[in-house]
Amino acid sequence: MDGLLPELEVIRKDFPILERTLAGGQRLVYLDSANTSQKPQVVIDTMVDHLERHNANIARAMHQLGAESTEAFEAARDKVAAFVKAPSRDEIVFTKNASEALNLVANTLAWKSPFQVGEGDEVVITEMEHHSNIVPWQLLTERTGATLRWFGLTDDGQLDLSDIDQLVTERTKVVSLTWVSNMLGTINPVAEIARRAKQVGALVVVDASQAAPQLPIDLGELSAAGVDVLVFTGHKVVGPTGIGVLWGRREVLEALPPFLGGGEMIATVRMERSTYAGIPHKFEAGTPPIVEAIGLGAAVDYLGHIGMDAIHRHEQAITAYALKGLQSVPGLTVLGPLDATQRGGAISFELEGVHPHDIAQVLDSRGIAVRAGHHCAKPAHARYGVQSSTRMSSYLYTTPAEIDALVEGLHHTRSYFKVG
Amino acid sequence: MDGLLPELEVIRKDFPILERTLAGGQRLVYLDSANTSQKPQVVIDTMVDHLERHNANIARAMHQLGAESTEAFEAARDKVAAFVKAPSRDEIVFTKNASEALNLVANTLAWKSPFQVGEGDEVVITEMEHHSNIVPWQLLTERTGATLRWFGLTDDGQLDLSDIDQLVTERTKVVSLTWVSNMLGTINPVAEIARRAKQVGALVVVDASQAAPQLPIDLGELSAAGVDVLVFTGHKVVGPTGIGVLWGRREVLEALPPFLGGGEMIATVRMERSTYAGIPHKFEAGTPPIVEAIGLGAAVDYLGHIGMDAIHRHEQAITAYALKGLQSVPGLTVLGPLDATQRGGAISFELEGVHPHDIAQVLDSRGIAVRAGHHCAKPAHARYGVQSSTRMSSYLYTTPAEIDALVEGLHHTRSYFKVG
Amino acid sequence: MSTDLDSLYQEIILDHYKNPHHAGLRAPFEAEVHHVNPTCGDEVTLRVHLDDGPDGRPVVVDVSYDALGCSISQASASVLTDLVIGRPVEEAMQTHEVFLELMQGKGQVEPDEDVLEDGIAFAGVAKFPARVKCALLSWMAWKDATAQALQSDPALQEEKS
Amino acid sequence: MSTDLDSLYQEIILDHYKNPHHAGLRAPFEAEVHHVNPTCGDEVTLRVHLDDGPDGRPVVVDVSYDALGCSISQASASVLTDLVIGRPVEEAMQTHEVFLELMQGKGQVEPDEDVLEDGIAFAGVAKFPARVKCALLSWMAWKDATAQALQSDPALQEEKS
Ligand SMILES: Cc1ncc(COP(=O)(O)O)c(C=O)c1O
Ligand SMILES: Cc1ncc(COP(=O)(O)O)c(C=O)c1O
């Protein structure tokens, strides 16, 4: 098969969990990577080495362990900055996950700054957002008297941009959208939309939670197009939980008021009043997720070593193969675009007569892990009139044989529930 | 020496970093545990086992790995609830650190709820707070038009409660204070202050970041006294970074509006409006720090196994020994109470004629790790007219011999800088 | 592997799933609730109709529902109605307790067929933590609706106390 | 171990620390800044007085300061004043660059005694990442103050451009 990672079996050996057997001696077939990715040994080892040999608090400690820990933490920031080609490493803020990063922006926009959102202002999102890119904006607009608006979706799973001129207007203060949909797999034209949003002076926020694992990111280009903020989450790029990334254009981060207060985010503190540190520290209150940032550094190094272009090609090859296999199952309908070159690697589908929970359960009894439910994208499900769906999602360690196992498992599911 | 942990050498073997040698072959003498504690092997191994064998996202995943991961995560909540004797496990919310927990409360109090803080309301803190329990309240009061007030300190490092009747009044909406000071070591009478605050109907928030590592916590008792919220941070109780704990009385957590939006904190999401999940999930937006919570569970189990009473006795014994040793150094002044039974194990001091940085540097060259600076407690330093101080802080693995090394190092520091 | 799956998807469950009893929404009713499983989006709208029994104590006259969900959640709604319709509220609540215990027993609780009838088929579900919520969705909705019905009707409430 | 420590605390540094040159705040000045090292609380208040030099280009006539901090930060303020007072701003800025490079060189940069004079004693500091900020505190303050002085004085600015 064209496009697969050449050393796939070697790569699989990097991921200890792939050796795992489940109930009944079944080998694990992990097809839930859009939910969270598995971790290579090097990420785990880097974290262990830190905890066993270099653990100390950062910035504040003057001793050798403190210096080592600080250096490792800040080196992780450099690695992440390089991974997304950030114009400046100071523009990389560590959060606990993508959700916190999105909330950081939405929450601070309620308070005084050149970007403050108030009565009469509008925030534009899309109907295919993950809840983490919906609820923060609902909270912001409800609390400030602003209005939330959104792009709808076309029947084939694309953003409906036909009413962009009605949606993105002089009243628009923020446009926030996902780059790659975690439900439909759709890849959105973020640069194009950013350019449009910039014409009306809106702040442009991109949720790259599903893009970062799969696509090479060039923030030089994206920021030139008008993207002001981009977020992603560590645990989906083979890093640990507890760590997320917010990139923000320097002028934006400098102008936003602080989010969380405390710890090292200050310049000076008096009881009456405090002043704040420069970016990125201004947004990193308290002891940051140190070992998690260091683990994430190892993770993006690992991905960079394999090459994001190669990973993207692999994902496309597997996705194309999966789309073909899935469509061979009678009664199966894929939600979202059918052209693998135009989409990410998460494929949600319905199987007539069998509820997603029941599909997932039968697959699980064969060792195949998929996700069933609304995938934190209830509005997108509602748009297509489905209450929940089954989702398979691959990653750099996924093999065609695993897709075969899934397809076979789906045939078996149909016969188990005696449909068709 | 009375009160030391009986199996101290065995306990030390649990902490791999204590075997570490530093530049020049020096053995590590780690006296910076109030900054962050070291991690026992069992915490590291638990995290590794999770990452290598059970890693999956929680709540949302229906497969075996998902069930294992969810069970481990929720079991960690049970362990933490037991560690602090929480009235209900649902009252335990996982955050990324203590700072986020404090900000969660301060931030949500700005919005509509029975506890909302507004114009004319007052928030009372103390002059010995860590920045993380100052800045969030400054942000809240500045943004809402409320007033921030605070308890001052007595010359011997205690809270000055003489004007409590002027400070805690009908206007007081929140009283937030630290249980144990990270700079002075002072143990505050939190139950007494909580009872007083309850008389005026104020919300009582306790920062237990320095208490949780050292004192047995009984939230049954504290909540009966009127404490509504208590927070601490994982990395100071031999757990990993990236995880903090917020305990809140059920009625309070239920009444507070959501903080971060997204992920599994919802009941249902429509584009127009969302409803929220019950506690604790309402406050856990996005993928939580899963492996970190599991690590914290192992950490509190470890502490519980040794026994918090025994650890407290050990800390007191070491602290008494250290206070005596430090006072043998000419020109050394301890900041804070001098009675070990009335204080925590962090001891800040000044040494005449040598700046804290320089002290820390000389000690570091002998492998001794202490903290130098303002320890995120600038106002308390200002209160005592010092710009920065040196702080030693012990923990359950600290030996009297390490205190001897510190005292010897301080004598050496004096001679190195030719003072006295 | 198939054995485990078969212990979850017992014939009884699949039968109730394919042919749910008492399905649909009917009047009269004193309370209607809408419950959602936030994780998967499964939903149930459920109505309760109570009335005084011969001894003056409230009786479950009807439970009607509209459920969207997996086989386990649909079958459990069906079994629920079989077990509670026509029973005194107090007795039905006890059955609820017994079912809850079974579900939360992690597969360690021996089901009592006299009380649970077809409900014993759910014993296997208790071994699948992720599915327990599915089985409990309509039971929780019923309890909620019944409490509301008792509260909203002072007559019923008086009788009860 | 002592060797390493001695490479940090060179005699020159300790001398400047005990007897700082040009200490205290003086008038006249065109700009005053207050810089803090947020980590440790070290502070410096620093004033700059510039004037036209003989060739019309601005010259650093005086730098005065009040510093609270460790030996490294105090000594570096003292050395700074020695190196920039009396020099054309442009030349002083170049010295600033050279000192910055030395400090950020992680101990790999060979110091140039012709340019840095006593400043070469700080070569050892570059090996202690936590202390680099101490050494740079007053230098950063000076750069900031000088920029402000140039900006606030149109005459000086014109000369410069
Ligand atoms: C008393 C006190 N409160 C709050 C904190 C903040 O904890 P964290 O940095 O983990 O948020 C600390 C520790 O730094 C502390 O000592
Ligand atoms: C598109 C998208 N946005 C945001 C998130 C939230 O990420 P996290 O849960 O790590 O905050 C996810 C993943 O769950 C996602 O797929």
Side-chain angles (χ1 to χ4, degrees), chain D residues 15-72:
Chain D
D15 285 350
H16 277 275
Y17 171 48
K18 302 250 145 145
N19 302 297
H21 305 176
H22 308 103
L25 291 170
R26 291 178 295 276
F29 61 96
E30 289 77 45
E32 175 182 302
V33 298
H34 180 75
H35 276 215
V36 179
N37 180 340
T39 318
C40 60
D42 281 3
E43 306 176 32
V44 66
T45 307
L46 185 142
R47 293 176 178 177
V48 164
H49 173 36
L50 308 181
D51 207 346
D52 289 349
D55 60 354
R57 292 188 309 163
V59 163
V60 184
V61 179
D62 193 19
V63 175
S64 63
Y65 63 93
D66 185 16
L68 257 169
C70 64
S71 56
I72 304 293

Side-chain angles (χ1 to χ4, degrees), chain A residues 24 26 353-355 357-358 361-362 365-366 372-374 378 387-388 412 416-419, chain C residues 1 5-6 8-9 14 17-18 36 38-43 68-71 128 131 134:
Chain A
Q26 297 287 333
V354 195
H355 187 278
H357 272 188
D358 296 319
Q361 195 79 58
V362 176
S365 75
R366 300 164 78 93
H374 51 62
K378 278 194 102 152
Q387 184 215 19
S388 62
H412 174 75
Y416 189 87
F417 286 102
K418 307 189 180 68
V419 290
Chain C
M1 115 213 176
L5 206 58
D6 293 345
L8 175 66
Y9 293 117
L14 295 180
Y17 172 47
K18 302 250 148 147
V36 179
T39 318
C40 60
D42 279 4
E43 306 176 32
L68 256 171
C70 65
S71 56
F128 294 80
R131 304 306 294 276
C134 309

Side-chain angles (χ1 to χ4, degrees), chain A residues 14-258:
Chain A
D14 292 337
F15 292 81
I17 208 168
L18 300 180
E19 299 289 312
R20 170 79 200 265
T21 53
L22 302 165
Q26 297 287 333
R27 267 299 270 283
L28 171 65
V29 175
Y30 187 75
L31 292 172
D32 196 18
S33 289
N35 201 353
T36 199
S37 63
Q38 295 304 342
K39 320 303 171 206
Q41 196 69 54
V42 63
V43 168
I44 300 170
D45 288 351
T46 300
M47 292 172 72
V48 168
D49 180 61
H50 182 79
L51 291 171
E52 289 188 353
R53 296 183 42 78
H54 310 287
N55 176 64
N57 213 322
I58 58 158
R60 21 172 111 168
M62 318 251 2
H63 42 70
Q64 289 170 65
L65 292 184
E68 290 168 8
S69 190
T70 307
E71 203 172 310
F73 179 75
E74 293 299 337
R77 198 189 304 277
D78 291 329
K79 290 173 191 201
V80 170
F83 180 67
V84 292
K85 298 205 171 68
S88 159
R89 50 117 39 211
D90 293 342
E91 295 171 342
I92 299 291
V93 173
F94 285 124
T95 62
K96 73 172 169 182
N97 53 28
S99 301
E100 187 195 1
L102 291 165
N103 278 278
L104 186 162
V105 181
N107 195 295
T108 53
L109 287 175
W111 307 113
K112 219 177 128 188
S113 87
F115 298 105
Q116 185 171 17
V117 170
E119 195 102 27
D121 290 335
E122 295 182 355
V123 172
V124 176
I125 59 174
T126 90
E127 212 173 353
M128 69 166 78
E129 297 310 310
H130 187 278
H131 295 165
S132 295
N133 200 25
I134 298 175
V135 182
W137 304 110
Q138 289 178 335
L139 292 172
L140 171 70
T141 50
E142 281 165 18
R143 287 166 176 180
T144 58
T147 304
L148 185 64
R149 306 185 67 187
W150 52 89
F151 287 102
L153 308 180
T154 63
D155 287 341
D156 60 344
Q158 306 285 349
L159 278 189
D160 178 2
L161 298 176
S162 62
D163 56 353
I164 190 166
D165 291 333
Q166 284 80 59
L167 269 175
V168 179
T169 69
E170 296 297 326
R171 285 186 303 278
T172 310
K173 278 298 194 80
V174 182
V175 174
S176 184
L177 81 164
T178 194
W179 188 344
V180 177
S181 160
N182 71 314
M183 176 206 168
L184 302 165
T186 319
I187 300 181
N188 291 319
V190 287
E192 183 189 325
I193 294 171
R195 271 188 288 268
R196 182 72 191 80
K198 268 294 155 264
Q199 287 168 9
V200 300
L203 196 75
V204 179
V205 178
V206 171
D207 176 0
S209 300
Q210 295 293 340
Q214 299 186 31
L215 305 177
I217 297 184
D218 184 339
L219 276 171
E221 275 177 24
L222 286 173
S223 70
V227 173
D228 295 298
V229 171
L230 179 140
V231 312
F232 65 99
T233 199
H235 66 94
K236 296 192 206 270
V237 289
V238 310
T241 51
I243 185 83
V245 174
L246 171 111
W247 168 83
R249 188 192 298 281
R250 175 181 292 276
E251 304 86 79
V252 173
L253 291 184
E254 282 176 349
L256 285 178

